[in-house]
Amino acid sequence: MAEMKSDLASELHGKVGDKLYRTLATGKIAVTPPSKAPTFIDEKDKDDRDTRMKGYGGSGHFAAVVNDAIKIGFPREKRGEQPLGKFMYYNAKTLCTSQKNEKGELVRVYDFKKMIVAAGNLLRANVTVAFDKETGVFTFTQEADSRKGTRANPTDKVYALIVDGVNEDAEFMTLRDRSENGVTSFTVPEWWDKENLFVYVFAGTRTKRKASPSACLYPAG
């Protein structure tokens, strides 16, 4: 691995040509050659590796679906941090696993109840959610919270993320300020799978520099 300083860019991330670039916390840019494919003596070790990588890949794949939420839910705390990196840190080992189907093919299996789309030390907001399957309407009920301090502020924004796990679609919405009471409704699209919907709620500062942990409120349990 080589390190360098660039006069052309303050930060670099990603692959350019056959080299991988990433910006370290010190501000230096690390340059690494492409990784070599591992070799396995035991075929089972290869199968185990492929199974793990399929699961990790599934987590990275789903980050794009919830990108609008994680950009706010995982604010940058130090130089070089990216929302995707934080999302993978919290979800790579728990969100997605893989298993072989009846054809022997590896398929992704998601546990959306465990998905985390926000993290931080802010306090969660007072929000409940109900779903009417017949009408396809989610109802969010928020109770005012006027606490002030380093972990809560009346001007904090409250957010909701609704995910269709089958069709890999999502809706990210702002509910209201932490200090406000109110009811917000959302009607899911007709083509969404009503049996595989998940709702997450979290709070963030007005400046988008801090967030609370996310909570999966639906389905309950």
Side-chain angles (χ1 to χ4, degrees):
M1 181 184 76
E3 294 182 358
M4 69 177 188
K5 282 282 189 179
S6 172
D7 295 327
L8 299 177
S10 59
E11 294 186 21
L12 284 174
H13 299 278
K15 189 175 182 182
V16 179
D18 64 344
K19 298 293 189 296
L20 182 65
Y21 294 82
R22 60 190 178 91
T23 301
L24 305 177
T26 59
K28 292 184 177 180
I29 299 172
V31 187
T32 56
S35 58
K36 296 180 179 179
T39 57
F40 300 91
I41 297 176
D42 190 332
E43 188 66 23
K44 183 179 183 303
D45 291 338
K46 180 180 183 302
D47 288 343
D48 290 344
R49 191 288 307 264
D50 290 345
T51 299
R52 290 195 304 273
M53 293 308 295
K54 185 78 172 180
Y56 293 160
S59 297
H61 165 79
F62 212 82
V65 179
V66 297
N67 185 57
D68 288 344
I70 67 176
K71 284 191 298 185
I72 296 177
F74 295 116
R76 182 186 296 191
E77 295 178 334
K78 55 186 178 182
R79 186 170 187 167
E81 281 189 335
Q82 298 295 327
L84 175 59
K86 283 192 169 184
F87 179 84
M88 292 300 292
Y89 173 81
Y90 284 99
N91 292 283
K93 295 182 180 180
T94 55
L95 172 57
C96 183
T97 57
S98 63
Q99 62 186 33
K100 291 184 178 180
N101 61 16
E102 62 276 4
K103 296 180 181 180
E105 302 168 330
L106 281 176
V107 295
R108 293 167 178 164
V109 180
Y110 287 95
D111 186 351
F112 289 110
K113 284 290 292 182
K114 293 182 179 179
M115 186 165 67
I116 297 173
V117 297
N121 66 355
L122 289 189
L123 297 176
R124 292 190 176 99
N126 297 327
V127 180
T128 58
V129 61
F131 183 54
D132 186 328
K133 286 187 177 181
E134 291 187 6
T135 61
V137 175
F138 276 106
T139 302
F140 298 87
T141 303
Q142 181 176 326
E143 295 183 14
D145 181 353
S146 298
R147 286 177 290 180
K148 295 182 180 180
T150 58
R151 299 187 62 202
N153 193 286
T155 61
D156 291 344
K157 298 295 184 182
V158 181
Y159 302 98
L161 174 70
I162 304 99
V163 171
D164 177 350
V166 171
N167 293 294
E168 297 188 352
D169 198 9
E171 179 73 18
F172 182 57
M173 54 195 296
T174 303
L175 299 182
R176 54 185 41 81
D177 286 359
R178 184 191 290 273
S179 61
E180 296 178 325
N181 288 302
V183 176
T184 305
S185 298
F186 172 74
T187 303
V188 302
E190 286 291 334
W191 53 273
W192 276 21
D193 188 332
K194 294 181 182 178
E195 299 299 326
N196 288 278
L197 300 177
F198 301 84
V199 174
Y200 313 82
V201 172
F202 65 93
T205 58
R206 179 178 52 81
T207 58
K208 300 181 181 179
R209 292 182 178 178
K210 292 183 179 181
S212 74
S214 60
C216 183
L217 301 185
Y218 182 91

